[in-house]
Amino acid sequence: MKKHWWQEAVVYQVYPRSFQDTNRDGIGDLQGVIKHLDYIKTLGVDVIWLNPIYQSPNDDNGYDISDYQKIMGDFGTMADFEELLDKAHHRGLKIMMDLVVNHTSDEHRWFAESRKSRDNKYRDYYIWHDPVDGHEPNDWQSSFSGPAWQLDEATGQYYLHLFSKKQPDLNWTNPDMRTSIYKMMTWWLDKGVDGFRMDVINMISKPIDLEAGGQVPNGPYVHQYLQEMNREVMAKYSDVITVGETPDVQPYDAVNYAGFDRKELDMVFQFEHMGVDQDPELGKWRPKAFKLSELKKIMSKWQVELHGKAWNSLYWNNHDQPRVVSRFGNDTTEEYRVLSAKMLAATLHFMQGTPYIYQGEELGMTNDYDFNSISDYRDIEAVNAYRELVEEKHVLSNQEFIEAAHKMSRDNARTPMQWDDSINAGFTDEGVDPWIAVNSNYQTVNAEKSLEDVNSIYYFYQRINGLRHQFPVIVYGNYSLLLPNDERIWAYKRSDTKQTLLVVSNFSADTVTCDLPELGKIHDTLISNYKDDQGTTIRPYETKAYIYQNRSVDQQRSVFEV
């Protein structure tokens, strides 16, 4: 297997709207990212992934793009972006852009032309269909509630939108459209960006028979399109990174999308582990308690089945998921919040794959439990789901929906970054209203406080990032799960020809006796979130890792002591 720089890298995700406001409009901006480049660099990461900063009417927080080659005014100017790119590169940080090419905004010039007439040359840039028996072409549903088809009365046809009705899907069967996308991507790479995170990229190919209906499947040509994209764009640049967001895939799919010999993507984001605490019918809007054995089984499957064939993306958090310390950890006390945030970090980052840290994760930022009305929420997904499930279908009561949103809403990840204990958490000036409310715990949970505490979550992340860059076994070693049926302990090994990494994490508030022989013989920990090591006794939310040479257990000693 050829080694690539992105396998050894760590990515930090910035959601610009919520990162730092520098011009007092309540919205984060590119100058705000520039302001904190040293903070990001000090964390020990290699790449910054920027959520969309393109011109957009902002129906879906920037994922509805009206011009791919202009910067949204909320965020600044192209000069601001070029300054960010230059200053990031000066610090050895790469910039990965968010690429949204399954759909555009309905305000994009292409769509404005497309809807003018059936014979407009841009008509075929999108997916139009005649009515069937006087209604939508099929029964497909939008991911944001309601039908996935919108009637355009002027031309008498429906257009497809798998997300908001202001996000019409592009027609990838049109070679002219694909060429336009490739030219745009080339333009950004020539400007100096270092790669792309590709939004819902496995959805770009649609089924041939649109009238068949049923669940929206992936079309037959997605791999053909991605190989063409790689050939026409990515292969012409060295050292770029591509990660595809691919809902509903399994490891065998991922090997096709990101196999080392496929010439498509470098890695994918899979979502299987994000479903362990969701209802089969209502999904996130009826959350359930997760079983650790199920979470371990899923994550371990991806570790084993991709090893040597393709590359994993490792994440707990992003802009579409609730805060992990509130989800799989414990934020009920300050002690448990800190311990479980560190435990979750080590458990994930010592697996095989490229780790992604979402802004504020390194501080242990939590869900926001003060949003007690749907009017507090800004996310189109939550607003539409409330209208459908509470107001129209009466499936959930107002209180049931708000309780679910407290746990699962995407807005939990989008509250402003908590920089300090001043008004508005230092995100914006006093007297300015942030675009979404600041989490009320900012006086306890913030970057300034973390940077002053050598035992903070921030410095724990810094240490595990450093270890990743130091020990090849953490990057390339194989994976084997231990104690698969234990509902409190997640233990696994990573091994190469020279060393073995042993990781043991307690996902509970219980003190547990862990029946692993190695724990009675090794006492020099690589890293831990407790100050001492009690061997087989694993305390609440404890995590610890060891690296030892591949000799007999009686001879094993760690090679590094913190």
Side-chain angles (χ1 to χ4, degrees), residues 385-401:
Y386 183 89
R387 183 176 64 245
E388 179 184 17
L389 300 175
V390 178
E391 298 178 339
E392 296 175 358
K393 296 182 178 179
H394 308 291
V395 175
L396 298 173
S397 69
N398 173 75
Q399 187 60 31
E400 287 173 329
F401 187 92

Side-chain angles (χ1 to χ4, degrees), residues 505-529:
S505 296
N506 186 355
F507 273 68
S508 77
D510 303 325
T511 297
V512 180
T513 299
C514 182
D515 187 22
L516 287 175
E518 295 94 328
L519 294 180
K521 298 181 180 293
I522 316 170
H523 299 288
D524 294 332
T525 54
L526 178 69
I527 192 168
S528 173
N529 58 352

